[in-house]
Amino acid sequence: MSSSKYLLVSLPNSISSENNSDAAFKSLRTTLTTASVDTHAFNIPTFKIGTLDALVAQADELTKLASDAEGVVGKVGDSLRGLLEGDEEKVGQQRVVGDSMCLFLFSLRFVSRVLRGWEMWWSEPVDQYLQSFSWNKVKYRSDKPIAELIDSLRKELVGVDNDVKSKFSQYNNTKNNLATAQRKQTGNLSTRSLASIVKPTHLLTDSEYLETHLIALPKAQVKDFLRTYETLSPMVVPRSGIEIAADDEFYLYTVTVFKKHGAEFVHKAREKRWIPREFRGTGSGGNGIEGGKDAAADEKRELESLQKEERKLWGEALRLGRNGYSEAVMTWMHAMALRVFVETVLRYGLPAEFVCGIVKTQPKTVARVRAVLDYEYSYLGGNALGRDEKGRVKKDDQATQTEMAGAGHGDAEYTAYVYYELDVN
């Protein structure tokens, strides 16, 4: 994804002498050539307008909706980045906008191999989508009241957010379970699974009075263990401490204790920073040790099952993330189109005769674009914006600015034209 920044600019058709949208857009584009930016038409249909009070309330609703949509776009993008381990090239391939069913089909390997060349007909990079935006009149009929359109967009956004969060949560839980299972196979003797290490012959499982404990010991503590384990608690079987495994950090010993003193032995072992290990398999023992020849096979099957489930959920999360990103971007842009329309009507009145352009620029050149727009169109602001003796734009009517803030324009610096910045990262 490029570091481009987009600006939405709406102006009345009256900025051109012909007083029509084509001429107004041409005038806007010509004005911005001095700022070395790329300007495209952002086509917005005419919507059904209610009362002035309703428009003011809808302007506030659309401000929140657009902010929420931008947040969802960012969250889904971050989820895709995490899924693809930060590979920005791969992330960019997934962050496209198009029909959700086609995006789903092209995520399937057998379809993508056959029809990859046709994908461009249904999906496109975000830059291309923004620069060729067209209101989806099938999904969001422009003859519906603005309040209904806002409600539809909000429901769409909530659905996307919930679906993506649910699937990625499911994937992350499985991924964590898999990591835990893998650590059991590769850790040291204090943490790893003992299923492939402990044999039935190492344990007493059929004694009425005796039980076997497994103790993992740091190498530096082995001498102390051998010197003291027999007196750690009453009724420890002498010379029952037997080494059964070792790695670079730990030794694993068995110790036989009378059952009635087993809990005391374990407690005192922990006090000495030895690590009692529990072993789970088939069969049962009174000391919490369970063993059996099928334990290692059971853990291997569990690991393979988790690996299979993780791969399956990874693919599902990728498909849903790709679709969710597309839907979130489209919802965001439709919310912005409505926001521009409502703000333009509130700013310039009826009839709604205006032109909207989307300007592609870089973060470092935004100030220059603003300066060009302010210089050319400050007269649209009436008393809110004026010029000093050198022709520089200034705000010279504090009372008007206060009124603007009270009317809902106080969340950002006031401009004589409708203006919004879009960060699509």
Side-chain angles (χ1 to χ4, degrees):
M1 184 67 63
S2 69
S3 60
S4 299
K5 193 178 187 74
Y6 283 92
L7 315 175
L8 281 176
V9 181
S10 174
L11 294 157
N13 289 346
S14 60
I15 63 170
S16 69
S17 57
E18 292 90 340
N19 200 29
N20 64 62
S21 58
D22 289 341
F25 177 72
K26 183 178 179 181
S27 174
L28 172 62
R29 173 177 276 178
T30 300
T31 296
L32 290 176
T33 54
T34 59
S36 302
V37 295
D38 196 8
T39 307
H40 299 267
F42 193 82
N43 297 310
I44 302 175
T46 299
F47 300 100
K48 293 177 66 175
I49 299 171
T51 65
L52 177 60
D53 288 344
L55 280 179
V56 172
Q58 287 160 0
D60 291 337
E61 290 182 55
L62 286 165
T63 298
K64 184 177 186 309
L65 176 61
S67 176
D68 291 345
E70 182 179 7
V72 172
V73 170
K75 286 189 292 185
V76 177
D78 288 343
S79 295
L80 284 170
R81 185 177 291 107
L83 194 68
L84 297 169
E85 300 179 342
D87 189 322
E88 290 299 329
E89 182 178 356
K90 292 181 179 179
V91 173
Q93 293 171 357
Q94 299 301 320
R95 293 195 299 193
V96 294
V97 183
D99 179 79
S100 59
M101 179 55 70
C102 291
L103 289 174
F104 171 77
L105 290 174
F106 282 111
S107 297
L108 302 177
R109 292 181 181 178
F110 72 93
V111 175
S112 62
R113 285 198 297 266
V114 176
L115 299 176
R116 176 63 63 183
W118 292 90
E119 182 174 3
M120 63 180 181
W121 292 103
W122 292 292
S123 63
E124 56 191 348
V126 176
D127 282 352
Q128 186 176 336
Y129 173 75
L130 296 179
Q131 294 170 22
S132 59
F133 175 80
S134 178
W135 183 270
N136 188 336
K137 295 182 179 180
V138 176
K139 194 171 186 179
Y140 308 110
R141 287 172 46 188
S142 58
D143 60 345
K144 288 186 176 182
I146 291 176
E148 288 189 24
L149 293 173
I150 293 174
D151 189 55
S152 295
L153 289 169
R154 184 183 295 110
K155 289 178 179 177
E156 181 83 20
L157 185 66
V158 170
V160 168
D161 191 26
N162 289 340
D163 289 346
V164 172
K165 283 195 297 188
S166 176
K167 180 56 67 176
F168 273 80
S169 176
Q170 184 183 7
Y171 167 73
N172 286 329
N173 287 338
T174 301
K175 181 181 178 182
N176 290 337
N177 290 338
L178 175 60
T180 299
Q182 289 172 331
R183 282 195 298 271
K184 288 181 179 179
Q185 302 299 316
T186 59
N188 59 45
L189 287 170
S190 70
T191 58
R192 67 173 296 178
S193 168
L194 301 179
S196 60
I197 298 172
V198 178
K199 309 301 182 185
T201 55
H202 293 145
L203 307 173
L204 285 172
T205 58
D206 57 355
S207 173
E208 183 178 354
Y209 301 105
L210 300 174
E211 64 186 10
T212 306
H213 291 272
L214 297 168
I215 305 294
L217 301 160
K219 286 191 171 182
Q221 296 190 32
V222 170
K223 288 184 179 180
D224 179 61
F225 167 79
L226 292 174
R227 186 175 64 250
T228 62
Y229 80 89
E230 293 180 356
T231 58
L232 196 62
S233 73
M235 304 188 78
V236 176
V237 176
R239 299 183 182 180
S240 63
I242 299 173
E243 177 191 333
I244 63 172
D247 59 24
D248 292 339
E249 301 175 66
F250 287 84
Y251 283 93
L252 184 66
Y253 275 78
T254 60
V255 178
T256 303
V257 182
F258 276 74
K259 289 183 179 180
K260 65 179 181 178
H261 293 288
E264 182 182 356
F265 178 84
V266 169
H267 175 72
K268 290 188 175 181
R270 290 196 175 103
E271 287 183 344
K272 293 181 71 67
R273 300 186 182 278
W274 304 343
I275 303 173
R277 294 297 314 275
E278 291 189 359
F279 176 57
R280 294 286 186 247
T282 59
S284 177
N287 62 347
I289 296 176
E290 299 176 4
K293 62 181 180 180
D294 294 331
D298 289 343
E299 290 188 354
K300 182 179 179 181
R301 282 193 294 269
E302 180 185 6
L303 180 62
E304 291 174 348
S305 176
L306 284 169
Q307 289 172 331
K308 183 178 179 180
E309 182 69 7
E310 191 269 345
R311 287 193 297 268
K312 171 177 171 288
L313 289 174
W314 186 92
E316 292 177 359
L318 181 65
R319 289 191 291 272
L320 193 58
R322 179 183 172 113
N323 295 344
Y325 185 83
S326 172
E327 293 292 334
V329 169
M330 289 190 287
T331 300
W332 183 22
M333 289 305 103
H334 281 74
M336 289 304 303
L338 272 176
R339 191 180 183 192
V340 168
F341 178 84
V342 170
E343 180 62 26
T344 300
V345 172
L346 289 173
R347 187 79 64 92
Y348 305 126
L350 294 172
E353 296 177 347
F354 67 98
V355 64
C356 182
I358 186 165
V359 182
K360 181 181 181 181
T361 184
Q362 301 297 320
K364 63 183 180 181
T365 59
V366 170
R368 180 171 44 172
V369 175
R370 285 284 302 274
V372 171
L373 291 170
D374 286 341
Y375 183 84
E376 188 68 24
Y377 302 117
S378 62
Y379 69 90
L380 295 171
N383 291 333
L385 294 173
R387 300 175 188 269
D388 59 21
E389 63 275 8
K390 295 183 180 181
R392 294 173 300 192
V393 174
K394 66 175 185 178
K395 296 183 178 71
D396 59 3
D397 191 332
Q398 185 61 41
T400 301
Q401 288 294 306
T402 301
E403 291 176 4
M404 294 288 182
H409 306 303
D411 59 335
E413 184 179 353
Y414 176 75
T415 59
Y417 41 88
V418 177
Y419 172 91
Y420 298 111
E421 296 182 5
L422 305 176
D423 288 307
V424 187
N425 297 317

